[in-house]
Amino acid sequence: MARPIEFDRSKAVDKAVGLFWRKGYQASSLSDLLAVMGIGRSSFYAAFTDKRSLFIECLDLFAERTLGLLARACADKPPVDALEGFFEGGLFGGRDERRQWGCLLVNTVLEMSGVDDDLAAHAGRHLDRVQDAFRAGLEHAGAAPALAQDLAAMLMLVNEGVRVSSRRASPQAAPPPAIAAIFRLVRNAIGCPSTLQITREIAT
């Protein structure tokens, strides 16, 4: 009978996500992973098979968290405000140092294209899902389907640029002013004022 794997798998994977997110796939050695996950080599291979399989699981988890964040934000706020908040704060907002790590999905496409195209494509498919979430939010805000699709594609280009740029910014840097400008264009395109604008109009 095989010996039970005695560790909290979900916590170990969460630690691996952080390491891959911060250092990338190639720079995260097996020794690094074992140390941060707090497990032995035999338990690692029994639970995850190999580093590549674990990395795919981490990409999937990161994508689900990102999509869950978007869904919750769009349920709590007007959709365009929610999308703007996503761009300003990312997956972990405030002063969390992880803002400086960019996006694991975008990082993977950049790192693995031409090195492991299957991994790059896997991350790219998750980015397509995020872009589709942008489109759904814009449609919910009143954009016609074709316009929502075009704006979502534009926002994904902005997203990729913002996440790359964040890796050379300080962890406490304010959101780029360009984000506010982009969302003014989005609101103008679909005739959707910000909640701040509405508040000001009511006050006057």
Side-chain angles (χ1 to χ4, degrees):
M1 181 179 295
R3 183 179 178 181
I5 302 173
E6 299 176 352
F7 66 94
D8 188 319
R9 194 181 194 283
S10 63
K11 289 183 179 179
V13 173
D14 189 60
K15 295 289 187 181
V17 168
L19 182 66
F20 284 133
W21 189 1
R22 179 170 56 88
K23 296 186 65 173
Y25 177 70
Q26 296 177 96
S28 298
S29 68
L30 179 58
S31 296
D32 292 336
L33 287 164
L34 296 179
V36 77
M37 296 168 77
I39 62 176
R41 190 177 296 264
S42 60
S43 293
F44 177 88
Y45 285 118
F48 305 107
T49 306
D50 55 29
K51 173 183 166 182
R52 192 176 190 278
S53 298
L54 171 62
F55 185 64
I56 290 172
E57 184 172 341
C58 289
L59 288 176
D60 294 346
L61 178 59
F62 186 93
E64 294 308 320
R65 287 177 174 175
T66 302
L67 291 165
L69 173 77
L70 277 168
R72 290 191 297 274
C74 287
D76 294 338
K77 302 178 181 178
V80 179
D81 289 356
L83 291 176
E84 185 170 5
F86 170 81
F87 277 78
E88 290 179 343
L91 188 59
F92 294 92
R95 296 186 174 185
D96 195 302
E97 66 174 353
R98 286 171 287 189
R99 289 185 60 185
Q100 196 178 10
W101 299 353
C103 166
L104 179 59
L105 303 176
V106 174
N107 295 348
T108 300
V109 171
L110 291 173
E111 179 189 4
M112 303 311 295
S113 292
V115 177
D116 187 328
D117 288 331
D118 287 341
L119 282 180
H122 190 83
R125 285 190 290 273
H126 282 312
L127 287 172
D128 289 341
R129 296 173 64 206
V130 175
Q131 181 173 321
D132 193 56
F134 293 165
R135 178 199 54 75
L138 292 165
E139 283 192 27
H140 184 61
L147 177 60
Q149 183 171 339
D150 289 344
L151 290 175
M154 179 190 72
L155 288 180
M156 179 50 70
L157 289 175
V158 173
N159 178 61
E160 291 170 352
V162 167
R163 304 313 171 197
V164 172
S165 178
S166 68
R167 292 184 65 84
R168 60 180 176 83
S170 68
Q172 297 182 10
I179 292 177
I182 288 292
F183 276 91
R184 282 196 296 271
L185 293 175
V186 169
R187 289 187 173 91
N188 288 338
I190 63 179
C192 174
S194 68
T195 53
L196 177 59
Q197 180 180 339
I198 292 172
T199 300
R200 287 173 177 170
E201 290 175 353
I202 292 174
T204 56

